[in-house]
């Protein structure tokens, strides 16, 4: 029972952390756009960005690349350091499998690794999107 509870808590925390990451990106990008443009241009841009996508490493890179350089290259460099790319991929893989009712028993990083990843991404985003 203890192993099952541990696995269940791990899956739950992966869902919560990935959900936080999606909300972080949506709120930050929406706020950044809102403070950068207004009126009709803002309405136009926001009509294309209604929610953050499921943010695996490739999707995160593509999302940030829409802002052009230097953000496009910076996010690649960021993800390539400290196992972040693998951690993000694994976090989203677990989230997707659990959310879609699939069993998941593959290798798992520790919760501390996922939490540090999300904290580091939070700092990266805030440093670029908050004036």
């Amino acid at each position: 029972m203890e192993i099952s509870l541990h696995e269940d808590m791990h899956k739950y925390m992966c869902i919560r952390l990935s959900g936080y990451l999606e909300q972080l990106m949506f709120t930050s990008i929406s706020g950044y756009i809102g403070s950068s443009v207004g009126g009709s241009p803002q309405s136009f841009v926001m009509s294309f960005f209604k929610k953050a996508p499921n943010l695996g490493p490739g999707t995160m890179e593509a999302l940030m690349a829409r802002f052009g350089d230097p953000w496009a290259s910076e996010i690649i460099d960021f993800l390539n350091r400290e196992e972040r790319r693998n951690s993000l991929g694994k976090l989203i893989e677990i989230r997707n499998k659990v959310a879609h009712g699939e069993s998941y028993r593959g290798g798992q990083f520790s919760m501390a690794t996922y939490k540090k990843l999300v904290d580091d991404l939070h700092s990266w985003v805030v440093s670029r999107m908050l004036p």
Side-chain angles (χ1 to χ4, degrees), residues 19-72:
Y20 174 81
L21 184 57
E22 289 176 11
Q23 286 302 307
L24 167 69
M25 297 308 293
F26 179 75
T27 303
S28 299
I29 291 170
S30 297
Y32 180 73
I33 292 168
S35 68
S36 300
V37 298
S40 297
Q42 180 185 26
S43 295
F44 176 79
V45 172
M46 293 310 296
S47 72
F48 289 97
F49 189 68
K50 298 189 185 303
K51 65 178 185 143
N54 203 337
L55 294 167
T59 308
M60 176 71 77
E61 289 172 350
L63 182 62
M64 291 297 99
R66 295 181 73 186
F67 289 96
D69 270 327
W71 291 8

Side-chain angles (χ1 to χ4, degrees), residues 10-19 22 51 53-55 88-102 104:
H10 190 269
K11 292 173 187 176
Y12 174 76
M13 288 304 300
C14 287
I15 290 170
R16 296 291 298 182
L17 287 169
S18 63
E22 289 176 11
K51 65 178 185 143
N54 203 337
L55 294 167
L88 181 58
K90 191 59 69 177
L91 175 66
I92 299 304
E93 178 184 359
I94 293 168
R95 177 253 177 244
N96 288 343
K97 286 188 175 194
V98 171
H100 296 284
E102 298 176 30
Y104 181 77

